[in-house]
Amino acid sequence: MALNNTYDARLVQQETALGAGVQILLLALIGTAIGMGPAGWLTGLAFALATWAVLSRALHRSRLRSFGAANRVTLGRATLVGGVTALVADSFQSSPPVSLFVGLTAVALILDGVDGKVARRTGTSTALGARFDMEVDAFLILVLSVYVSMELGPWVLLIGGMRYVFVAAARVWPWLTAALPPSTARKTVAALQGVLLLVAGADLLPYAGNFGVAALALGLLVWSFGRDVMWLYRTSRVEETAARRQVRELVAS
C-alpha cells in the first residue's frame, strides 16, 4: 500500500466502516426491489458485520497506513458477495430473480482480476491484501456451491468446502502450510470455479448440463488440490529426511 509517514488507525478504519455502510445500502436496494425476506436480511447483515469486524481487526494488527486502491476494489467485491449471500439465503424461502443473482455474481467474478492488477501496477501489494482477496474468493465459491446444491444435491458443497477442509487439515498436519510454487494451472482452476458454478446456477442449461458443469468444476478442483497436497507431502518428506541426516552427521562428528 502507499505509505504515509505516520500511522492513523482512524483513517484506515473509516474505509471499513464505509464498506459496511455500502453493504447495508445494497441490501436495502435489493430488499426494496424484490421484497427480500428475513433470512436474506439477517444473513446479509451478518455478512456485513463479520466483514467489518474481521477486516478492522486485521488492519489494526497489520498497522497499514493506507487502505489502498486494490483493497478498495476487493472491499467493493466483498460488498457484491454480501448481496449474493443474501439472495442465496433468501432463496430458501422464496425465489429471487435469477437475473439479479447472475448480475451481482458476474460483476464480482470480473472484479476478481482487477484488484491484483491494481496492486501490482501501483506497487501496493501486501500480505493482508492477498489474504483479503483469497478469503472473498473462497466465500463466494462456498455461497455459489450452496445455491447450486439446492438443485443438484449436497455433493456440490464439496466444491465450496474443500478449501476450508484444507485449512482445517493444516492445523493437524503443519506441512500443509508450506508455500507452494507458482502455478498457472492452479490459478486457472481457481478462476474457473466461480464461472462454472455461475453457469450451473444460472438456469440456462437442462439438469444434465448443469450437473456436468458442476461435476467438471469439482473434478478440476480435486485434481488441483490433490496435486498440491502430493507436492507438499513429498517436499516435507524430503526436508524431514535431510534434517535427520544432518542430525546423524552431527552426532557422528
Side-chain angles (χ1 to χ4, degrees):
M1 301 297 170
L3 302 182
N4 300 321
N5 293 327
T6 58
Y7 173 69
D8 189 344
R10 293 173 299 176
L11 295 177
V12 179
Q13 298 297 343
Q14 284 172 1
E15 304 237 21
T16 62
L18 178 61
V22 173
Q23 177 73 85
I24 295 173
L25 176 60
L26 177 62
L27 292 175
L29 292 174
I30 294 175
T32 302
I34 69 171
M36 191 163 58
W41 272 106
L42 291 174
T43 304
L45 290 172
F47 178 89
L49 179 61
T51 302
W52 170 79
V54 172
L55 185 56
S56 295
R57 182 180 179 184
L59 286 167
H60 179 74
R61 295 175 67 178
S62 66
R63 296 183 65 83
L64 288 180
R65 291 173 172 84
S66 172
F67 194 64
N71 280 340
R72 291 188 188 102
V73 175
T74 308
L75 184 58
R77 192 155 56 85
T79 300
L80 296 174
V81 172
V84 175
T85 302
L87 287 175
V88 171
D90 193 56
S91 67
F92 283 91
Q93 296 179 329
S94 61
S95 300
V98 175
S99 57
L100 181 58
F101 165 79
V102 171
L104 290 177
T105 304
V107 175
L109 291 173
I110 291 171
L111 290 177
D112 184 22
V114 174
D115 44 13
K117 291 181 180 179
V118 171
R120 289 188 294 271
R121 185 167 298 177
T122 57
T124 57
S125 299
T126 64
L128 174 61
R131 179 66 182 273
F132 184 25
D133 177 60
M134 181 176 62
E135 294 300 338
V136 172
D137 290 343
F139 193 79
L140 176 58
I141 298 304
L142 176 61
V143 171
L144 292 178
S145 69
V146 170
Y147 183 77
V148 176
S149 71
M150 287 188 281
E151 178 188 359
L152 300 183
W155 64 271
V156 183
L157 296 175
L158 292 172
I159 299 173
M162 196 170 301
R163 188 255 174 182
Y164 296 98
V165 171
F166 181 86
V167 171
R171 295 182 178 274
V172 180
W173 298 293
W175 50 268
L176 288 172
T177 62
L180 287 162
S183 170
T184 301
R186 185 189 309 118
K187 293 180 180 179
T188 302
V189 169
L192 283 174
Q193 296 305 302
V195 175
L196 292 174
L197 284 173
L198 179 58
V199 171
D203 201 23
L204 297 174
L205 303 174
Y207 180 88
N210 291 332
F211 189 96
V213 169
L216 175 61
L218 179 59
L220 289 172
L221 198 61
V222 169
W223 170 80
S224 181
F225 268 96
R227 189 184 67 153
D228 286 345
V229 168
M230 288 304 300
W231 187 92
L232 290 169
Y233 176 75
R234 291 169 181 167
T235 301
S236 69
R237 298 296 294 176
V238 169
E239 292 176 350
E240 182 179 351
T241 300
R244 289 178 178 176
R245 185 182 300 113
Q246 290 179 352
V247 171
R248 287 196 298 267
E249 291 174 352
L250 289 173
V251 172
S253 59

